[in-house]
Amino acid sequence: MRPTLHQLEVFCEVAHRGSFTRAAEHLSISQPTVSGQIKQLAQTVGLPLFEQIGRRLFLTEAGEALLASSREMFDSLDRFQMMIDDFQGKKRGKLQIAVVTTAQYIVPRLLGEFCQAYPDVDVSLQVTNHACLIERMEDNRDDLYIISHPPSHIDLELEPFIDNSLVVVTSRSHPLAQRSTGTKLPIRKLAEAEFVMREAGSGTRRAIERHFAKHGITNVCVRLELSSNEAITQAVAGGLGVTILSRHCLESVTMHPDLVQLEVTHFPIPGQWYVAHLHGKQLSIVAKSFRDQLLAMRLIPA
Ligand code: PGA
């Protein structure tokens, strides 16, 4: 006996939402129907697929394996449907993208153009930090990724995309802003400052820490950690210290009258984004089209 497509759909939904009730709501079916489908599926597989510990639902090892196979199968069916649509001269289907937070200043605009050209494509964009993006890669959740520091343990197809250097920003009234007239501030002066930093798990944070370590700066004083680039610029404008952020966030900085970019030696920290997908992943026609569009506008200085 083989699992039915419907059972696998229900199973993926429960695994994704971590709850029978939420899966039932999302699929607009009753909770007993969901439980019944999962029970039958487990009987077909011959092993339990979930285990309930406390109030949380966890996948068993067999459940993890079934989830990976089901995702591959649904991806393959989606690609087939998109290929048929393409034969018929229509671009339709799904595009699932995940990007690091700093790329949110660029990618939604590009997606806007893409959606206008292909109104029947259903797009999902996840904006998240570096660590969460890696988890999504490990789970094969998306078609395309935009990332600055590709992990070495995941086999990726990478194309350089756009420069993403990091610059130092503070408020006009900060002592370092007052001191930096004309000449560049020596990097060691940053060790005297209090910082507003991104959270652990952020690619920006990691790049800053590595850069400081390279230049012998240890014990940086982090006064406040925030996971949003916008919240950081507001905190810095409010006088909470210095920050280092992507030059792509500068649009909001230059629009803010209380903020100023500091000229510091060994800055900006060089960096770039890559357009990535998992090696061996069969990109759909829609994903390939969007990747081509991204690469056509890439701007990497020589
Ligand atoms: P972050 O990543 O959003 O995790 O800071 C930014 C980047 O890697 O460019």
Side-chain angles (χ1 to χ4, degrees), residues 100-102 128-130 148-149 164 198 201-205 273:
V100 283
T101 61
T102 47
T128 180
N129 77 6
H130 177 84
S148 289
H149 313 281
N164 179 41
R198 286 286 305 279
S202 143
T204 309
R205 172 82 175 253
W273 289 319

Side-chain angles (χ1 to χ4, degrees), residues 139-158:
D139 289 349
N140 183 17
R141 297 285 295 275
D142 310 282
D143 298 311
L144 297 172
Y145 301 90
I146 295 194
I147 186 162
S148 289
H149 313 281
S152 52
H153 70 288
I154 302 179
D155 199 1
L156 293 170
E157 299 283 340
L158 291 166

Side-chain angles (χ1 to χ4, degrees), residues 37-51:
Q37 293 289 313
I38 297 296
K39 201 170 159 195
Q40 279 176 24
L41 186 58
Q43 277 166 359
T44 308
V45 171
L47 286 168
L49 302 170
F50 293 101
E51 53 199 7

Side-chain angles (χ1 to χ4, degrees), residues 75-93:
D75 272 3
S76 172
L77 285 175
D78 285 344
R79 280 199 308 277
F80 171 73
Q81 185 58 52
M82 286 186 234
M83 196 172 71
I84 296 297
D85 289 338
D86 199 57
F87 288 158
Q88 294 171 339
K90 299 172 218 148
K91 278 259 187 314
R92 259 202 301 239

Side-chain angles (χ1 to χ4, degrees), residues 44-61:
T44 308
V45 171
L47 286 168
L49 302 170
F50 293 101
E51 53 199 7
Q52 178 105 34
I53 298 174
R55 299 184 63 169
R56 289 188 59 193
L57 201 58
F58 292 89
L59 282 166
T60 60
E61 212 178 335

Side-chain angles (χ1 to χ4, degrees), residues 18-47:
S19 149
F20 283 57
T21 312
R22 283 201 295 274
E25 277 164 18
H26 193 78
L27 293 167
S28 305
I29 54 179
S30 71
Q31 208 259 14
T33 308
V34 169
S35 307
Q37 293 289 313
I38 297 296
K39 201 170 159 195
Q40 279 176 24
L41 186 58
Q43 277 166 359
T44 308
V45 171
L47 286 168

